[in-house]
Amino acid sequence: MADKKARLTVDGLEEVIELPVYSGTTGPDVVDVRALTSKGLFTYDPGFVSTAACESSITYIDGAKGVLLHGGYPIEQLAENSDYLEVCFLLLNGELPTPEQKEVFVKTVKNHTMVHEQMTHFFNGFRRDAHPMAIMVAVVGALSAFYHDSWISTMRTTAKCAFRLIAKMPTIAAMCYKYSIGQPFQYPRNELDYADNFLQMMFGNPCEDYVTNPVLAKAMDRIFLLHADHEQNASTSTVRLAGSSGANPFACIASGIAALWGPAHGGANEAVLTMLQEIGDESNIDEFIKRAKDPEDSFRLMGFGHRVYRNFDPRAKVMKQTCDEVLAELGIENDPLLKIAKRLEQIALEDDYFIQRKLYPNVDFYSGIILKAIGIPTNMFTVIFALSRTIGWISHWSEFHSGPNKIGRPRQLYTGPTKRDYEKK
Ligand code: SDX
């Protein structure tokens, strides 16, 4: 596997340390540094900026070119030609499904959309104004109490676990919303497509039939698709690390939901809307740009910048186009928040601070405007992201368990006190 070598010389070490260099099918080569431990050395990379934590074949990102591939397929082509459940099949299996495979896959998902009736009791322990992400972490983690057979990761149980998660996340997400507004939980309707079913569980009620707007359902499915997976991001790496100890997969997914919640990660979509509402008017944009550039001010332009993309996030481009379609369909092209967002994007992209740091809009910049137009409350935005990303998490969890693996256990640069004897103060 390694026909290239890296050679390291370290002051104080006589020998030149030879390290294998591996090449993937595309993207940067990697230097295998595992031998350094035997030389008394660790690598140091806070935030894992330059660390490949694993080998994976699910998703590839070229940050410099703004490229995102799932199983080799560009995200723009998948957004245009595919749908969320088909991409779920692709992420789990590495290939697009045949029409027959897709029919079986969709039918199997539909057979798992209900949650155990006792799951409803977990909600009653929360205040009605509990943040839905707090409820999601708890309720999805509680699924591990219902499915012990998923503890043993065999191909059969992994597949069943994936179907249960893909199918139940929309049901649980909608239950979080219904609980917050004091309405009864809506059962899934399996004659509906995935996004339609989610919207009827969100906005339907027992008193009348709910008819989804096909443009909004398509936009919802596209949002699910665009958030499905994104290589070794913080929440996916969390799921892989939790999975490396052999933890129950539902508990691992709950750890991914917790990691996603932060405003630096999946919580950014909610933070973008809050920021746009705080800006309030285009005349205030310059003040916020000034704050975003001030090293003394912790304020950052939410929905801008990315650890990997040093170009446009390709998902942001598709999201912006979907945003225009949805708002036109709803006759709110002049949505004040969209106008502020577009003006903010234009100003930031012309400002040296953002240009020099290659800060571009990311997936979260426009998604919140679409979700708000569909009628989804701001505090549910990251729940939607978690619902979508569950397929990425379980695909990576499954990939980790599909071959030889080790528990993840990073080391450190220790800067605390050296050994000293105990003396009472
Ligand atoms: C997601 O990893 C993934 O793939 C994540 C994700 C996925 O699909 O899983 O793509 C989803 O999380 C998208 C990102 C959503 N987060 C936000 O929109 C929050 C705002 N963005 C920033 O917090 C930031 O850009 C991060 C966290 C996304 C990336 O941070 P990095 O890679 O650690 O970059 P950095 O903090 O080192 O910033 C480099 C410079 C710094 O300035 P200097 O110290 O060089 O002077 O850029 C500045 C930062 O201050 N900077 C920003 C900024 N983002 C970075 N300045 C103002 N506004 C911003 N948004």
Side-chain angles (χ1 to χ4, degrees):
M1 193 161 152
D3 51 11
K4 298 180 196 171
K5 299 277 184 209
R7 289 168 187 80
L8 182 64
T9 57
V10 180
D11 291 347
L13 275 188
E14 283 175 17
E15 66 171 309
V16 175
I17 303 171
E18 270 204 0
L19 299 168
V21 175
Y22 307 131
S23 301
T25 44
T26 182
D29 286 352
V30 295
V31 179
D32 182 344
V33 295
R34 285 175 286 187
L36 289 182
T37 309
S38 64
K39 312 292 181 191
L41 292 166
F42 295 149
T43 58
Y44 184 63
D45 184 15
F48 307 124
V49 177
S50 303
T51 294
C54 63
E55 179 181 331
S56 180
S57 62
I58 298 172
T59 289
Y60 174 69
I61 301 171
D62 181 327
K65 294 178 186 151
V67 168
L68 168 58
L69 308 177
H70 292 316
Y73 297 99
I75 190 69
E76 299 89 339
Q77 293 183 28
L78 292 170
E80 184 62 33
N81 304 303
S82 187
D83 61 43
Y84 179 68
L85 285 184
E86 184 170 83
V87 169
C88 287
F89 184 100
L90 171 63
L91 292 170
L92 275 171
N93 300 290
E95 293 295 338
L96 287 168
T98 62
E100 298 72 27
Q101 287 172 324
K102 181 169 181 187
E103 188 182 346
V104 169
F105 188 84
V106 171
K107 189 172 179 308
T108 309
V109 169
K110 290 187 175 196
N111 289 341
H112 289 279
T113 50
M114 282 206 294
V115 295
H116 193 292
E117 198 61 14
Q118 282 182 230
M119 292 287 288
T120 60
H121 300 309
F122 290 117
F123 289 81
N124 296 326
F126 290 98
R127 290 164 40 128
R128 293 281 177 177
D129 63 353
H131 196 290
M133 281 298 278
I135 302 177
M136 284 294 279
V137 171
V139 174
V140 173
L143 286 172
S144 57
F146 287 78
Y147 301 115
H148 288 293
D149 63 349
S150 295
W151 192 285
I152 309 106
S153 60
T154 62
M155 286 315 287
R156 184 183 61 79
T157 51
T158 301
K160 199 167 184 186
C161 176
F163 282 122
R164 282 170 169 155
L165 282 160
I166 297 167
K168 295 180 194 316
M169 286 300 274
T171 309
I172 295 169
M175 289 169 82
C176 290
Y177 173 61
K178 285 302 194 188
Y179 184 74
S180 73
I181 58 173
Q183 282 193 7
F185 297 138
Q186 282 287 101
Y187 285 100
R189 301 289 313 173
N190 289 337
E191 74 274 13
L192 297 176
D193 289 339
Y194 194 81
D196 288 89
N197 201 2
F198 173 65
L199 291 175
Q200 77 83 18
M201 289 190 283
M202 283 285 290
F203 303 119
N205 64 62
C207 309
E208 57 207 7
D209 289 339
Y210 178 80
V211 180
T212 46
N213 175 323
V215 173
L216 300 190
K218 174 71 186 155
M220 193 74 253
D221 189 86
R222 184 167 292 171
I223 285 180
F224 290 154
L225 186 153
L226 291 172
H227 287 83
D229 187 51
H230 211 239
E231 199 215 65
Q232 306 305 323
N233 59 83
S235 53
T236 300
S237 298
T238 300
V239 171
R240 286 184 86 117
L241 192 58
S244 74
S245 76
N248 180 296
F250 294 97
C252 296
I253 298 300
S255 73
I257 296 171
L260 184 77
W261 194 0
H265 190 15
N269 53 15
E270 180 177 353
V272 167
L273 244 290
T274 306
M275 175 186 73
L276 293 174
Q277 288 162 338
E278 197 183 339
I279 292 173
D281 183 87
E282 289 183 51
S283 60
N284 300 325
I285 289 176
D286 289 341
E287 178 214 331
F288 281 82
I289 294 276
K290 185 164 172 280
R291 284 186 57 198
K293 293 158 56 173
D294 178 358
E296 300 309 311
D297 190 329
S298 62
F299 173 77
R300 288 196 165 180
L301 221 48
M302 290 289 110
F304 258 77
H306 197 277
R307 169 61 57 76
V308 177
Y309 289 121
R310 296 309 183 216
N311 199 322
F312 265 91
D313 179 334
R315 300 167 297 175
K317 287 184 189 172
V318 179
M319 202 70 86
K320 187 174 178 180
Q321 173 201 331
T322 306
C323 196
D324 288 337
E325 288 164 9
V326 167
L327 297 187
E329 166 67 18
L330 297 173
I332 45 176
E333 299 94 317
N334 298 321
D335 178 305
L337 291 181
L338 177 63
K339 286 175 74 178
I340 293 172
K342 288 191 170 179
R343 182 76 184 113
L344 184 60
E345 176 187 4
Q346 185 187 10
I347 293 173
L349 293 180
E350 291 163 0
D351 185 294
D352 274 347
Y353 173 91
F354 293 88
I355 294 168
Q356 281 163 20
R357 291 166 179 79
K358 300 183 187 300
L359 301 176
Y360 291 88
N362 58 49
V363 68
D364 295 305
F365 191 64
Y366 284 102
S367 57
I369 297 171
I370 304 171
L371 294 171
K372 180 176 177 292
I374 292 176
I376 292 171
T378 308
N379 69 1
M380 282 287 293
F381 288 3
T382 312
V383 170
I384 304 289
F385 196 150
L387 184 172
S388 316
R389 184 55 55 87
T390 294
I391 183 57
W393 292 333
I394 197 65
S395 299
H396 282 272
W397 179 89
S398 173
E399 182 179 67
F400 176 87
H401 283 292
S402 62
N405 57 60
K406 294 173 77 72
I407 187 168
R409 206 281 187 215
R411 301 304 305 273
Q412 63 181 9
L413 172 67
Y414 177 68
T415 54
T418 54
K419 183 176 178 298
R420 53 183 171 170
D421 293 327
Y422 178 82
E423 285 177 18
K424 273 205 186 297
K425 294 288 182 191

